[in-house]
Amino acid sequence: MRKLIGVALVAGLTAASFAIASPSAQAFERRDGQKILVTAQRQAVPTMDPSVKYDASIRTMQQAMYDALLKYVDTPPRIVPWLAESYDVSDDGLTYTFHLVKGAKFHNGDPVDAEAVRWSFERTLKLGKGPAWMLNAFLKAENIKAVDAQTVTFTLDRPFAPFTSFLPWWYIMNPKQVLANEVDGDLGQKWLIENEAGSGPYRLKRVEQGTLYELERFDGYWRGFEGKLGGIIYKLIRESSAQRAALMRGEADLVTGLSPDEFDQVAKAKGVVTSTQPALTAFGIKFNTQGKLTSDINLRKAVAYAFDYDALIKIYNGRAVLQSSPFTDAILGKIDVPGMPRKDMAKAKEFLAKSKHPNGGIELEYVYVQGLEEERLMGLILIDSLKELNITVKMVPLTWANMVARGSKVETSPDMIAIFATPVSIDPDAVAIQYHPSSQGAYYGVHWLDDPELTKMIEEARFTTDWAKREPMYAEIQKKIVDLQPEIFGMMRERRIAYRDWVKGYEYSPVRMTEEVDFYPLYIE
């Protein structure tokens, strides 16, 4: 056995006032002598269930209330021990033995033991939702064993090199709490929409769905805390201008998702700190490759070559770079794919002539997040780009939840949908699997791509353990994905997080989504 320790709300101020504006009062609240941090976010948290769903808002709340065996920190991203203080891997690469920390407790006082770990993985695999796709191709629930209170083993069906890189997103739940609230065999799914059963640094105090979510610090947290903070109020503010005003007028301590212009304005304000590090997140306009119109690959390529990519960078005031591959820059094995589409109207017309609609005369639907200004502007770019092809664009703003719902069925998935997708690992499998049939219907799989040759390539690469052999496989996978044109491959933007200078402890890792925040290290000085 080889031993491994760790591893990898108000009307806005005038624009001119931002450079000199200062808050009228500190935003954080005080309760019983405790400081409560207020964060203004644009995306609701429709469920807290770690087995069912994740996105930037959900994962922000989940990682505050739950712990995993391992955790991502820093940049470049590395994985550190968390609930597991160490682990061993068998020589054949099949069995992973995790040794748990002692003293970790769930919020109700129950110990976090190996059985809780085993049950949590079993539940997620059984439900087949949320993070299940990461491991279900090579891990069966019956092959997870609680050896003793502090030891749990995972025996894989076949070696899978990036196994540990996915574990930080598999949160451990208290089986006693969840099963005590089970309804009609649902394994507690209904209860966990607005409740939690974790061991993390915060516990859920209040949910006002669509308005706010409140967390209170769990004083018995087994890892302790760096600074003092009584809790966090996650306030839903859907308009960027209202977020900006809340930050500037002392009604919010931290905001994410400001428009590029508003971010640049608040960055000049006294007492505001900004985070602009690059993220793994990529933006793409995904085609429904099984749709009535966009199943035509020549039409997809025509649209891709007509699109004005440089306008994307202008939207972000230069705080973005164009993709040169379906893989973002920090992904292992990423290459610059030859012939990556850029605006070329001659090629666009050439591909359109090969399509079923050589003269255009069609309308394509473009769905984007309601209230997200940059995605609205991207729609305007589409409209302008496709005029010369005699193709019109119908822009449809929807809430994120409704967008995901539409994309979850091939029959309702729109022609084009604006998606920001963040890989959950720097291993190339985390991106390649998004183009595998198993991802169809997930928000990152709304392209509904199903190409047998590509599927075979992805499956072969993910179960090859020798990196010297895997690397050239992923080079070919990147080329193949581009050739299939399941989306307009867009750009990678910088993060736009702004907070008052009394907020301390902010930490960044590019594996987190661009608007995802790790609340654990935060405190108010």
Side-chain angles (χ1 to χ4, degrees):
M1 306 274 283
R2 58 188 188 275
K3 190 77 171 178
L4 301 177
I5 308 294
V7 282
L9 305 194
V10 291
L13 303 171
T14 63
S17 70
F18 288 123
I20 58 172
S22 61
S24 59
Q26 292 179 328
F28 60 84
E29 298 186 7
R30 294 180 184 271
R31 293 184 186 173
D32 301 323
Q34 296 285 325
K35 297 174 182 177
I36 310 297
L37 185 147
V38 180
T39 178
Q41 307 277 348
R42 300 181 65 180
Q43 194 167 294
V45 187
T47 181
M48 312 285 176
D49 195 332
S51 297
V52 168
K53 188 178 290 187
Y54 64 89
D55 57 27
S57 61
I58 295 172
R59 214 161 70 176
T60 290
M61 294 291 283
Q62 287 174 345
Q63 66 187 303
M65 300 182 293
Y66 292 92
D67 291 312
L69 292 172
L70 307 172
K71 182 174 181 175
Y72 277 108
V73 298
D74 296 342
T75 182
R78 62 189 181 93
I79 301 174
V80 298
W82 210 250
L83 283 176
E85 62 181 7
S86 65
Y87 69 88
D88 314 312
V89 186
S90 62
D91 292 335
D92 62 7
L94 290 176
T95 301
Y96 290 71
T97 302
F98 291 86
H99 308 282
L100 306 184
V101 298
K102 296 179 180 178
K105 295 184 180 297
F106 289 109
H107 297 152
N108 71 344
D110 292 338
V112 180
D113 56 18
E115 174 56 23
V117 174
R118 185 206 66 78
W119 181 87
S120 296
F121 276 81
E122 178 186 58
R123 179 181 187 266
T124 300
L125 289 168
K126 184 175 181 178
L127 291 177
K129 302 176 181 179
W133 67 267
M134 303 177 194
L135 307 181
N136 61 10
F138 51 87
L139 176 65
K140 294 183 177 63
E142 57 266 30
N143 293 329
I144 308 171
K145 307 291 183 182
V147 178
D148 57 41
Q150 302 302 125
T151 311
V152 60
T153 63
F154 297 77
T155 301
L156 312 185
D157 293 344
R158 42 187 165 170
F160 182 64
F163 174 64
T164 56
S165 73
F166 291 107
L167 297 187
W169 312 120
W170 288 66
Y171 295 113
I172 308 308
M173 297 157 273
N174 186 338
K176 293 180 181 178
Q177 275 187 291
V178 177
L179 292 176
N181 291 281
E182 186 177 30
V183 178
D184 298 327
D186 73 341
L187 291 176
Q189 289 182 81
K190 184 176 181 180
W191 184 73
L192 280 176
I193 291 175
E194 295 187 355
N195 293 278
E196 55 91 4
S199 63
Y202 290 90
R203 55 187 174 191
L204 191 62
K205 181 177 183 179
R206 177 171 49 136
V207 172
E208 294 179 8
Q209 194 58 261
T211 302
L212 64 81
Y213 313 85
E214 184 173 0
L215 300 167
E216 64 178 349
R217 179 170 282 192
F218 179 45
D219 290 333
Y221 188 49
W222 57 281
R223 289 187 69 96
F225 295 93
E226 180 68 25
K228 294 183 177 181
L229 189 67
I232 294 171
I233 293 177
Y234 179 118
K235 186 175 293 186
L236 191 64
I237 303 179
R238 295 192 183 275
E239 295 297 328
S240 177
S241 59
Q243 282 183 296
R244 174 199 64 198
L247 181 72
M248 300 309 300
R249 294 175 60 159
E251 295 167 350
D253 302 296
L254 182 151
V255 300
T256 70
L258 291 174
S259 73
D261 287 344
E262 288 161 344
F263 181 82
D264 286 348
Q265 290 165 352
V266 301
K268 301 172 185 176
K270 181 180 179 181
V272 172
V273 181
T274 60
S275 172
T276 58
Q277 297 95 333
L280 286 177
T281 303
F283 170 80
I285 299 176
K286 296 185 183 290
F287 297 111
N288 180 353
T289 62
Q290 297 186 42
K292 180 179 179 180
L293 297 173
T294 46
S295 58
D296 187 335
I297 189 171
N298 288 304
L299 178 62
R300 300 201 300 268
K301 286 185 175 291
V303 173
Y305 277 103
F307 190 74
D308 186 355
Y309 295 86
D310 291 340
L312 286 178
I313 306 303
K314 294 176 182 177
I315 286 176
Y316 285 93
N317 296 341
R319 296 182 182 274
V321 295
L322 296 179
Q323 285 182 260
S324 58
S325 163
F327 291 9
T328 48
D329 289 349
I331 298 294
L332 296 174
K334 182 260 180 186
I335 66 167
D336 292 339
V337 177
M340 194 77 168
R342 292 292 183 260
K343 185 177 180 64
D344 186 331
M345 289 309 301
K347 280 191 175 182
K349 291 176 180 179
E350 180 182 335
F351 280 112
L352 186 65
K354 298 176 184 178
S355 76
K356 296 176 182 178
H357 302 276
N359 300 314
I362 57 175
E363 181 180 77
L364 298 176
E365 184 183 26
Y366 167 75
V367 170
Y368 66 99
V369 177
Q370 177 182 321
L372 191 53
E373 177 63 10
E374 54 257 51
E375 289 190 357
R376 187 188 72 84
L377 293 175
M378 291 166 190
L380 297 180
I381 295 171
L382 266 176
I383 290 174
D384 189 60
S385 296
L386 300 187
K387 281 181 180 178
E388 200 171 335
L389 298 182
N390 192 28
I391 296 174
T392 59
V393 177
K394 179 183 179 181
M395 293 175 57
V396 180
L398 294 176
T399 64
W400 173 250
N402 287 335
M403 278 179 58
V404 172
R406 277 204 59 183
S408 66
K409 297 180 181 179
V410 68
E411 299 85 4
T412 59
S413 195
D415 301 313
M416 299 180 292
I417 186 168
I419 294 291
F420 286 95
T422 304
V424 295
S425 163
I426 60 171
D427 189 275
D429 181 67
V431 183
I433 198 67
Q434 297 177 23
Y435 301 94
H436 185 277
S438 62
S439 294
Q440 291 177 354
Y443 76 89
Y444 47 81
V446 293
H447 45 61
W448 291 90
L449 187 63
D450 189 358
D451 182 82
E453 183 181 349
L454 177 61
T455 298
K456 183 178 179 180
M457 294 167 69
I458 293 171
E459 291 175 350
E460 184 179 0
R462 73 188 318 227
F463 294 114
T464 298
T465 57
D466 185 346
W467 178 247
K469 295 179 180 179
R470 291 182 80 210
E471 187 172 17
M473 290 180 178
Y474 282 110
E476 294 306 310
I477 286 172
Q478 292 168 73
K479 295 175 185 177
K480 181 66 174 177
I481 294 171
V482 170
D483 186 56
L484 292 170
Q485 204 71 64
E487 63 190 270
I488 297 173
F489 299 102
M491 53 78 210
M492 298 160 288
R493 63 179 180 176
E494 294 179 353
R495 294 165 65 89
R496 300 192 307 276
I497 294 177
Y499 52 93
R500 305 304 313 196
D501 58 5
W502 54 73
V503 177
K504 306 297 180 182
Y506 176 79
E507 295 181 3
Y508 162 75
S509 179
V511 178
R512 288 190 170 80
M513 301 179 186
T514 50
E515 296 180 14
E516 178 183 352
V517 178
D518 183 4
F519 288 149
Y520 172 52
L522 297 180
Y523 62 97
I524 293 176
E525 191 171 75

